[in-house]
Amino acid sequence: MSNEILLILSVLLTYSALLALHQWCGKEGLVGFMVFASIVANIEVMILVRAFGIEQTLGNVLFASTFLITDVLSEIYGKESAKRVVKIGIFANALFLIFSQLWLFYTMQDVQNLQHFESIFANTPRIIIASLLVFAIASYVDVWLYHFWWDLSERIWHNRSRGLWLRNNGSTLISQLLNTLLFSFGAFYGIYPLDVILQIALSSYLIFFILSVLDTPILYLFVYLTKTKTLYD
């Protein structure tokens, strides 16, 4: 199966899982997916692939979903809920960092397994520390920008429900640009040549840009399903 098809399937699976979890578990489902996505994305980011003609790291799809989650929480549950899930994501990643490093100190019976673990998690501290810092900065910026654009759209249209596309894309595109630049250099400077880092940053932001546009109708669907569920509950 080609990398392109796998990435498309990842996008469909991610959006479907988010919608299903929110329908079944509400806000708690989004919190659970935030923890899952932020941790798994930090493992995936160590894998470099080529798809759609560009080199890119895996993890972009799942990491982009965390910004959709904060937008959904901001829109439906308010700013404090969005900020709280960011704190939970940071705490979960800090725990993962600690545990993943403890694994390397165990005396394993199978040396080959130890080598596999070391090859995966040897660079994990730098990547997760960079990701933690960038995730915290970009996520809080995203939440702040979301409500900035919301206040602006309300002044423009005199209607708080309008301008959902503006606050979604206006917050995500700016915060993702900040995230892409800070993470690409923080995680990979000195590991990859500068031209590869720039290509990773460019490809990552291009993917984030596309996903930001794609997740706008998904956010509208979240709002619609929430209103429908509230109406019939």
Side-chain angles (χ1 to χ4, degrees):
M1 192 176 295
S2 69
N3 289 340
E4 289 79 5
I5 293 175
L6 287 169
L7 283 173
I8 292 171
L9 287 175
S10 295
V11 172
L12 295 175
L13 179 60
T14 297
Y15 288 156
S16 299
L18 278 172
L19 287 165
L21 276 171
H22 188 242
Q23 285 297 104
W24 294 336
C25 305
K27 180 167 58 176
E28 289 78 10
L30 297 181
V31 174
F33 197 90
M34 169 68 89
V35 172
F36 160 78
S38 59
I39 290 176
V40 175
N42 281 322
I43 299 174
E44 284 189 321
V45 78
M46 291 181 278
I47 304 173
L48 192 64
V49 300
R50 187 171 183 83
F52 300 106
I54 54 176
E55 289 186 355
Q56 55 190 280
T57 61
L58 293 183
N60 289 328
V61 173
L62 280 178
F63 198 72
S65 72
T66 65
F67 289 84
L68 174 59
I69 290 171
T70 56
D71 286 356
V72 171
L73 290 170
S74 289
E75 183 70 28
I76 299 173
Y77 300 102
K79 180 189 284 189
E80 290 307 312
S81 291
K83 291 168 66 176
R84 193 174 300 118
V85 79
V86 173
K87 293 177 183 176
I88 293 172
I90 294 170
F91 185 75
N93 276 274
L95 281 180
F96 173 69
L97 172 62
I98 294 170
F99 275 96
S100 66
Q101 295 313 295
L102 284 177
W103 297 336
L104 299 177
F105 288 96
Y106 280 91
T107 302
M108 296 188 184
Q109 295 298 103
D110 191 334
V111 177
Q112 189 174 4
N113 281 342
L114 176 61
Q115 292 173 342
H116 292 323
F117 265 83
E118 287 179 341
S119 66
I120 295 172
F121 296 110
N123 290 323
T124 300
R126 175 177 173 173
I127 290 175
I128 294 187
I129 290 171
S131 180
L132 273 172
L133 294 174
V134 174
F135 175 75
I137 294 169
S139 296
Y140 279 118
V141 168
D142 181 65
V143 173
W144 180 84
L145 282 172
Y146 193 91
H147 290 271
F148 167 80
W149 290 115
W150 201 344
D151 292 339
L152 181 61
S153 64
E154 187 177 9
R155 290 198 297 271
I156 294 172
W157 288 296
H158 305 289
N159 187 329
R160 191 159 179 80
S161 62
R162 293 187 63 183
L164 178 57
W165 60 271
L166 175 62
R167 50 187 177 268
N168 172 226
N169 289 293
S171 60
T172 302
L173 291 176
I174 296 173
S175 57
Q176 288 286 24
L177 177 60
L178 178 66
N179 161 73
T180 302
L181 292 174
L182 291 178
F183 179 76
S184 296
F185 283 92
F188 300 123
Y189 186 78
I191 297 177
Y192 297 128
L194 182 59
D195 61 326
V196 175
I197 295 174
L198 291 174
Q199 189 170 2
I200 290 172
L202 180 61
S203 64
S204 296
Y205 188 68
L206 178 60
I207 293 168
F208 287 143
F209 184 91
I210 294 170
L211 290 173
S212 178
V213 174
L214 290 177
D215 74 25
T216 300
I218 304 299
L219 181 54
Y220 274 95
L221 185 56
F222 266 105
V223 174
Y224 171 77
L225 291 175
T226 301
K227 289 180 178 178
T228 304
K229 187 176 181 180
T230 302
L231 184 63
Y232 289 100
D233 279 349

